[in-house]
Amino acid sequence: MKAVVLREIGSEPMIEDVEPGELREGWVRLKVVRSALCYRDLLTIKGFFPQAKTPLVLGHEFTGEVVDSKSTRFRRGDRVVALPYTYCGRCEYCLTGRENLCRSREWYGEHLYGSHAEYIDVREESLVPIEGDIDPNYASIASCVVGMVINGLWQVGGVEEGDKVLVTGASGGVGIHALQVAKAFGAETIAVTRSEEKARFIETVKPDHILVGDDWHKEAKKLGGADIVIETVGEPTFQKSLRSLKWGGRMVVIGNVNVKPVELQLGLIILRQNMIAGDLSSTKKSLYKALQLYRKGLIRAVGTEMPLDRIGEALEKMEKGLSRGRIFLVPP
Ligand SMILES: [Zn+2]
Ligand SMILES: [Zn+2]
């Protein structure tokens, strides 16, 4: 099968012919229908994740159809969405609905071969069946992206109807879907972006406010400040995000485009009783919610489809910030 292979950390991933191994007990083989590109792929290539052992097939945001099964729960022909990882199912995190924190977790595209390929082997625990019609682009990002944002906004951030939710990097793959999730939860949405051109793209998901330019944190304050900031950019926007919060507001950090530390004046968060929290991926619960919101017509996938063999170009577009929304790779 054709697959995007990373031969060595730091090298350019290439399309190669890979022989799928023997399917293990409790696993299924999927024909990949869509595999979305994530900033995490870039960080994996750069060596940010020590668990990534090369050679490796990249990719962890996918949907597909079961073509072979050694699972009692899934059969040939089943269509599925998947968590981007496997988990043990018996540790304190797994038993309390926080399988995203499981210490025995293994990621597709890092510990395990990933989905930028014609086929992927997936452990049954990771899978959720698809019922009814679904846009394959949406299905591929129902977990990492939509489920992840739901985990951050709902399970970590405790969003309530009427809250003001500010999203940085709002034209990006995470940002454009975070705005829709916030809206679906009844929030007033504030999109932050760098250019008028990106602002026009963001208008397609109808946020309540779009802030462009360097002084967006001051504009956010004029709007009353944010109850929750969804920080998808990380270090470059962190300080302004912090200053955009209301007294008592929460910042949920989802992404970080460069691996630099940030400075934090503790007085600022003490006197304003602000909270800063991380958000690591989706859970079964947030993935289920992502499918529910889709069926209600509250969220749609936004981005561009590209054939799998244009992976080099797709990665470059994402790294340079030239992609709008998600890039959905279509295998042959
Ligand atoms: Zn991802
Ligand atoms: Zn566990």
Side-chain angles (χ1 to χ4, degrees):
M1 67 163 181
K2 298 274 181 240
V4 174
V5 178
L6 180 70
R7 281 270 147 210
E8 272 172 63
I9 295 300
S11 70
E12 194 181 324
M14 295 290 191
I15 294 278
E16 287 186 23
D17 269 314
V18 175
E19 199 54 53
E22 175 131 356
L23 191 62
R24 286 173 276 178
E25 273 320 309
W27 291 61
V28 302
R29 182 158 295 159
L30 302 183
K31 168 88 184 84
V32 178
V33 175
R34 279 303 180 282
S35 185
L37 204 58
C38 182
Y39 210 88
R40 197 173 169 120
D41 296 351
L42 272 177
L43 296 175
T44 304
I45 295 167
K46 288 179 180 171
F48 187 70
F49 301 110
Q51 66 266 28
K53 299 274 183 287
T54 53
L56 184 65
V57 177
L58 295 168
H60 61 267
E61 300 182 0
F62 57 95
T63 184
E65 189 178 313
V66 177
V67 290
D68 195 1
S69 174
K70 283 194 176 169
S71 153
T72 51
R73 290 185 242 166
F74 293 90
R75 284 184 304 195
R76 246 184 106 91
D78 283 349
R79 294 170 311 133
V80 290
V81 292
L83 291 175
Y85 55 84
T86 66
Y87 57 93
C88 79
R90 56 189 197 187
C91 71
E92 81 172 274
Y93 299 112
C94 290
L95 293 173
T96 51
R98 297 174 295 161
E99 56 275 7
N100 57 331
L101 305 180
C102 174
R103 304 322 299 144
S104 309
R105 196 189 53 206
E106 291 191 308
W107 282 80
Y108 300 101
E110 285 165 32
H111 304 84
L112 305 162
Y113 272 19
S115 58
H116 296 338
E118 289 178 81
Y119 298 93
I120 180 174
D121 288 358
V122 185
R123 231 176 77 182
E124 59 186 359
E125 286 82 357
S126 307
L127 298 173
V128 173
I130 294 175
E131 288 156 24
D133 282 340
I134 190 166
D135 166 22
N137 291 344
Y138 186 83
S140 70
I141 57 163
S143 184
C144 190
V145 183
V146 181
M148 173 182 66
V149 171
I150 291 172
N151 185 61
L153 202 56
W154 184 43
Q155 291 161 283
V156 177
V159 68
E160 287 185 24
E161 205 166 342
D163 277 355
K164 284 197 177 74
V165 173
L166 181 145
V167 177
T168 61
S171 70
V174 176
I176 201 79
H177 297 98
L179 285 172
Q180 297 181 73
V181 170
K183 242 179 137 71
F185 276 90
E188 183 178 336
T189 49
I190 307 169
V192 171
T193 192
R194 274 195 311 202
S195 71
E196 290 296 341
E197 181 261 320
K198 286 182 174 181
R200 281 194 294 280
F201 171 75
I202 293 164
E203 272 168 16
T204 59
V205 300
K206 301 185 175 67
D208 296 289
H209 314 273
I210 304 180
L211 308 180
V212 188
D214 283 342
D215 285 339
W216 57 266
H217 54 303
K218 293 177 189 161
E219 297 298 319
K221 274 289 183 193
K222 281 184 205 159
L223 292 170
D227 294 283
I228 301 176
V229 166
I230 295 290
E231 179 51 85
T232 80
V233 182
E235 189 270 333
T237 45
F238 180 82
Q239 299 300 345
K240 288 180 182 175
S241 285
L242 197 58
R243 282 166 175 77
S244 303
L245 287 174
K246 278 186 190 174
W247 273 251
R250 289 92 71 200
M251 188 200 302
V252 180
V253 184
I254 290 190
N256 189 17
V257 295
N258 60 38
V259 192
K260 274 194 217 158
V262 294
E263 253 180 47
L264 181 59
Q265 285 185 32
L266 290 179
L268 201 65
I269 60 167
I270 295 168
L271 297 175
R272 293 179 174 187
Q273 200 178 296
N274 288 143
M275 195 175 92
I276 301 170
D279 172 25
L280 179 76
S281 194
S282 52
T283 59
K284 279 269 172 81
K285 183 175 173 172
S286 66
L287 173 55
Y288 186 79
K289 195 79 179 164
L291 296 174
Q292 209 177 35
L293 296 180
Y294 177 82
R295 284 196 298 270
K296 285 191 159 190
L298 295 170
I299 309 185
R300 63 186 172 86
V302 181
T304 323
E305 288 178 10
M306 284 176 84
L308 184 72
D309 58 11
R310 281 168 62 191
I311 180 71
E313 189 189 331
L315 282 166
E316 194 184 335
K317 271 185 120 172
M318 186 173 61
E319 185 161 29
K320 290 185 172 163
L322 299 173
S323 52
R324 301 285 174 267
R326 224 23 162 202
I327 294 174
F328 304 101
L329 298 171
V330 185

